[in-house]
Amino acid sequence: MTVLHDPHLSLVRDVVPRTPDGCEECLRLGMGWVHLRLCLTCGHVGCCDSSPGRHARAHAAAIGHPIVRSLQPGENWRWCFAHEAFV
């Protein structure tokens, strides 16, 4: 895995998941998800690109918070939607 030094890393904060039990939008809409992603700027929990809603990517595009990390147990990677790369 190649890791990019990304200027968006300055947006990363110490966050707490706003909806630790699932994707914020999916919970509200009664939808399902595949995997969860945590916005490292504001704590939004969204579903991955394999999920029907793709809410993590939608949040990044709408709000401008591009860096997420996996919320899957045992995973600790981070992804920048703006650069489509691991950071």
Side-chain angles (χ1 to χ4, degrees), residues 3-67:
V3 176
L4 174 73
H5 176 70
D6 190 306
H8 294 113
L9 288 172
S10 65
L11 299 172
V12 171
R13 306 285 180 261
D14 185 20
V15 297
V16 174
R18 295 191 322 209
T19 53
D21 294 329
C23 171
E24 188 169 326
E25 290 81 6
C26 288
L27 289 168
R28 185 174 60 248
L29 298 169
M31 297 173 62
W33 59 84
V34 178
H35 298 292
L36 298 173
R37 309 293 180 239
L38 175 66
C39 173
L40 292 179
T41 301
C42 71
H44 172 267
V45 177
C47 55
C48 70
D49 286 351
S50 296
S51 300
R54 300 178 63 174
H55 292 119
R57 181 175 294 277
H59 172 80
I63 306 299
H65 296 166
I67 309 285

